[in-house]
Amino acid sequence: AWGKGTDGRLGLGDEYNRWKPSNICLEEHGITQSIDRVICGSASTGLLTSNGKCWLWGSNFSNQLMSTMDPFILKPTKLSATNPKSVIALAFGEYHTIAVGGDGVIYTWGDGSKGQLGHGTKESQKEPKAIEALKGSRIRFIAAGEFCSACVAGEANLLCCA
């Protein structure tokens, strides 16, 4: 990881900037599976392992990473929510997170003040919550913006929240 370290977004245990790539010792954080992908948002980072586990770090002001009182998660921390049990895709908005579970359901959490979570309200969520309106849809892609979310369902249906 390298770049701006504010909010712990680099996962190196501090908030210092790094001018060249720095190694995150994954084994120290309990990550022993092979890494399937890494996802960077503006202030949050996550990785998905080959067995569907999700690890998150960075800004957590709106509980967009996990339900905790900590505004920053400085090191990779496993998503311990009951659902989704596994994660196959992940995207970060400014203050919210979207995940596609291994069950094919989209889960969102964090700030919902502009409707970006897709639950039909402006309520924020401290834990991943399934978007009921999309259950049963075949989700192909997800994306998140500052205060918006989108997905491609089926062959060519673009759906947006907020």
Side-chain angles (χ1 to χ4, degrees):
W2 63 95
K4 186 176 181 180
T6 307
D7 302 341
R9 68 189 77 191
L10 298 180
L12 296 166
D14 57 44
E15 295 188 73
Y16 297 117
N17 296 339
R18 298 300 198 287
W19 307 109
K20 60 183 181 178
S22 299
N23 186 43
I24 301 172
C25 185
L26 299 177
E27 292 82 17
E28 287 180 9
H29 306 292
I31 304 169
T32 56
Q33 305 83 16
S34 62
I35 306 305
D36 193 43
R37 64 184 59 121
V38 63
I39 303 92
C40 292
S42 65
S44 302
T45 308
L47 66 80
L48 303 178
T49 60
S50 57
N51 65 348
K53 301 304 177 195
C54 178
W55 300 77
L56 305 166
W57 61 92
S59 177
N60 192 46
F61 281 107
S62 298
N63 293 114
Q64 68 265 39
L65 300 182
M66 56 196 61
S67 180
T68 176
M69 297 299 291
D70 298 323
F72 316 120
I73 307 298
L74 299 177
K75 298 177 181 180
T77 304
K78 187 176 178 184
L79 177 64
S80 60
T82 305
N83 283 307
K85 295 191 185 331
S86 66
V87 177
I88 59 172
L90 186 68
F92 296 109
E94 188 70 20
Y95 302 105
H96 72 290
T97 301
I98 307 171
V100 178
D103 55 5
V105 175
I106 292 185
Y107 297 84
T108 59
W109 65 100
D111 176 42
S113 64
K114 308 289 188 246
Q116 65 269 38
L117 298 183
H119 301 296
T121 71
K122 293 182 178 183
E123 288 182 26
S124 296
Q125 298 294 321
K126 290 184 177 186
E127 298 284 336
K129 181 178 178 181
I131 299 179
E132 294 296 326
L134 294 175
K135 279 191 172 177
S137 299
R138 190 171 64 87
I139 304 303
R140 296 182 58 218
F141 304 104
I142 57 172
E146 183 176 13
F147 291 106
C148 61
S149 304
C151 71
V152 173
E155 292 305 314
N157 295 317
L158 177 63
L159 305 168
C160 298
C161 300

